[in-house]
Amino acid sequence: MPKLGVNIDHVATLRQARGEQEPDPVAAAAVCEAAGADGITVHLREDRRHIQDADVRTLRRTVSTRLNLEMAATPAIVAIALDIKPDMATLVPERREELTTEGGLDAVSPSQYAAVSGAVDALRAAGIPASLFIEPDAGQLDAAARMGAAFVEFHTGAYARLYGTPAGDAEFARIVAATKQAQALGIRVNMGHGLNLANVRPIAEIAGVVELNIGHAIISRAVFVGLARAVEEMKAAVTL
């Protein structure tokens, strides 16, 4: 069965809305781990809109499972990752005006390839496995393989948005095919974005998927049932 990584960014979003100390994402991470999360994911954005540098440093000391740092492939953020040394670094695209990550990283275009491959090289040299957050696309996978990425994380946003429709079925088939291609290339596969209790099971059943990173659905559900129960429900949903 795939592992469950819980993204706690939106706990920090709520904190930053008031500029206070609560809710504390570090405390949230501890609740998630106690409830069965296999890892904690945070995105240190360049604009620091939610997770802050101090959060990541404290989480590096306190997370007892695995800390996955989502990050842009920029020199400043790469330097922070090299200093903190998360258990995994996932390179993601960033646009200042976006509400959330809107799609996969473009690892193919010449303008992006050099920056992303340079970040992968630096992370690998420091012993940090690098993952690329990409669309389930053959060209993107080939680029990831050339860079030597240990993992990819497929963007499941289109699948989640179209779930229950013929277009959703087609997107699911694309994800399955891309997973097989990644495995043939020796790249391990994670998935995330838009997954919730209603649509996660088919993704969890894809053979060989290592981890599902889920945040918004869990934090949203926690408003009604509490964070521990929300994590427990999702863990049950991905357990085969």
Side-chain angles (χ1 to χ4, degrees), residues 157-183:
Y159 159 82
R161 186 175 64 254
L162 299 168
Y163 180 72
T165 69
D169 294 341
E171 184 65 17
F172 179 77
R174 188 166 80 113
I175 291 171
V176 171
T179 300
K180 292 177 180 177
Q181 179 189 355
Q183 291 164 345

Side-chain angles (χ1 to χ4, degrees), residues 131-196:
S131 177
L132 304 188
F133 184 74
I134 60 174
E135 297 295 329
D137 173 82
Q140 299 296 336
L141 274 169
D142 286 340
R146 292 197 304 274
M147 291 178 193
F151 285 79
V152 293
E153 180 173 336
F154 288 141
H155 176 246
T156 52
Y159 159 82
R161 186 175 64 254
L162 299 168
Y163 180 72
T165 69
D169 294 341
E171 184 65 17
F172 179 77
R174 188 166 80 113
I175 291 171
V176 171
T179 300
K180 292 177 180 177
Q181 179 189 355
Q183 291 164 345
L185 291 168
I187 300 173
R188 305 183 77 188
V189 177
N190 299 332
M191 299 197 192
H193 202 84
L195 299 176
N196 57 36

Side-chain angles (χ1 to χ4, degrees), residues 104-147:
L105 190 71
D106 182 6
V108 174
S109 68
S111 62
Q112 291 293 311
Y113 187 91
V116 176
S117 62
V120 170
D121 288 344
L123 292 164
R124 184 172 56 242
I128 304 168
S131 177
L132 304 188
F133 184 74
I134 60 174
E135 297 295 329
D137 173 82
Q140 299 296 336
L141 274 169
D142 286 340
R146 292 197 304 274
M147 291 178 193

